[in-house]
Amino acid sequence: MAAPVRKAVFPVAGLGTRFLPASKAIPKEMLTVVDRPLIQHVVDEARAAGIEHFIFVTGRNKGAIEDHFDRQPELEQTLAARGKTVELEALLRDLPPPGETSFVRQQEPLGLGHAVWCARELVGREPFAVLLPDVLVQSKGKGCLAQMLDVYDAHGGNIIAVEPVPEADLKSYGVVSIGEGNGSIFPVNGMVEKPKPGTAPSNLTILGRYILQPEIFDILSAKETGAGGEIQITDAMIRLLATQDFHALKYEGRTFDCGSKLGFLLANVAYALDRPELRETLTAEIKKLI
């Protein structure tokens, strides 16, 4: 039986340059989709999947993320005094219990692989999940990570979520090569980071959701750089693939790349339309705009 996945790593040290000037003083992960910060949406996905320990790899000027997942007695007292019990209950419900959050600094922007490596002591020698906060996955049923954990329970090893993208866009992603699969689950036999045009082994790109075995830390400790001069998690997974199984899951749901302005705007619209109290009015207002 595969060891349980109890911990999740959230790399949140990025500078958010694509959202300047909004991200100059506010971490991009704290930008809101409707009324919840991006990072809260991703933590919600992890909690729904049964994750017990949330590890944030932060950087300078990211204190707002720590504050968001902490108690605010003055605010709580004010809400209680004003009889705003619904708001207070929602606020407390979103907080992970004491001892379930940890924060570690990535002092230099050396890539996703380096950010994951920075969490090695907090993860320890057990399997763990990685969720990129730039990526929101809206699912009607189980969340993306919960779907991946179902695959992990069946196959063990390492699991990555994948989605098809147009061939012209493959050069911007990590791309997998797969074997014969069963429905939406495929064995992975190769990966390449940002392939040159015409060389991609498939049209399936790595989404930003991973379940990894702790041996990945041993590989990342070499701090070998790849595309862009950064320490790439894909390069480390390629090496791990030589000794461990990987499976790819074509998850059910829609992805929003909230690292881009268009993806962020689309996420706000899609998540708002999913709220019964907003859907009708928002639809009418959108029709007026177009």
Side-chain angles (χ1 to χ4, degrees):
M1 181 179 294
V5 178
R6 303 184 307 112
K7 299 178 180 180
V9 175
F10 304 87
V12 294
L15 297 175
T17 54
R18 288 189 286 179
F19 277 91
L20 288 171
S23 57
K24 180 180 178 181
I26 301 173
K28 65 174 181 178
E29 297 84 7
M30 291 300 297
L31 298 177
T32 55
V33 172
V34 189
D35 54 3
R36 300 173 76 77
L38 279 169
I39 188 60
Q40 183 69 63
H41 283 283
V42 181
V43 167
D44 289 345
E45 178 187 329
R47 290 182 74 182
I51 293 299
E52 302 171 6
H53 192 169
F54 307 88
I55 301 168
F56 301 87
V57 182
T58 70
R60 286 178 292 279
N61 302 316
K62 297 283 184 169
I65 297 174
E66 293 190 40
D67 290 341
H68 178 73
F69 290 104
D70 197 0
R71 298 287 299 268
Q72 291 205 12
E74 296 86 355
L75 175 59
E76 295 167 19
Q77 291 168 9
T78 299
L79 291 174
R82 295 179 179 178
K84 294 183 176 293
T85 55
V86 173
E87 292 83 353
L88 178 58
E89 289 172 0
L91 194 69
L92 296 177
R93 188 169 56 246
D94 287 343
L95 286 178
E100 291 191 3
T101 56
S102 297
F103 297 84
V104 62
R105 283 287 187 105
Q106 182 189 21
Q107 287 91 346
E108 299 177 88
L110 299 180
L112 176 57
H114 182 259
V116 171
W117 176 81
C118 287
R120 68 199 182 283
E121 297 295 337
L122 292 168
V123 172
R125 303 304 292 184
E126 58 182 282
F128 64 103
V130 178
L131 297 90
L132 302 191
D134 285 352
V135 179
L136 294 190
V137 183
Q138 189 181 42
S139 305
K140 295 299 183 184
K142 284 188 175 182
C144 182
L145 184 60
Q147 296 174 46
M148 294 172 67
L149 285 169
D150 286 343
V151 178
Y152 175 78
D153 290 341
H155 296 277
N158 304 269
I159 313 296
I160 49 180
V162 297
E163 65 174 354
V165 305
E167 184 175 351
D169 297 332
L170 293 174
K171 63 181 182 297
S172 301
Y173 296 92
V175 181
V176 298
S177 173
I178 59 173
E180 291 294 325
N182 179 18
S184 60
I185 305 167
F186 305 87
V188 176
N189 52 40
M191 288 175 259
V192 60
E193 180 69 21
K194 299 179 180 178
K196 294 180 180 179
T199 66
S202 75
N203 71 335
L204 295 176
T205 62
I206 300 171
L207 169 68
R209 299 288 189 274
Y210 313 79
I211 295 173
L212 299 170
Q213 296 297 319
E215 287 77 14
I216 196 79
F217 293 124
D218 302 328
I219 297 170
L220 290 170
S221 292
K223 299 183 181 179
E224 295 180 0
T225 57
E230 296 184 335
I231 300 171
Q232 299 287 351
I233 193 70
T234 303
D235 293 340
M237 291 193 297
I238 291 170
R239 291 186 59 187
L240 189 59
L241 181 60
T243 58
Q244 294 187 4
D245 289 339
F246 275 75
H247 282 84
L249 168 67
K250 292 175 67 175
Y251 64 94
E252 294 181 4
R254 180 176 179 181
T255 300
F256 298 95
D257 175 12
C258 293
S260 71
K261 293 181 179 68
L262 179 60
F264 178 73
L265 292 170
L266 289 173
N268 269 280
V269 173
Y271 277 73
L273 289 174
D274 205 35
R275 300 268 289 267
E277 74 276 18
L278 296 175
R279 184 187 305 117
E280 184 175 349
T281 303
L282 177 61
T283 300
E285 292 299 325
I286 290 174
K287 288 179 180 179
K288 291 178 185 179
L289 292 173
I290 60 176

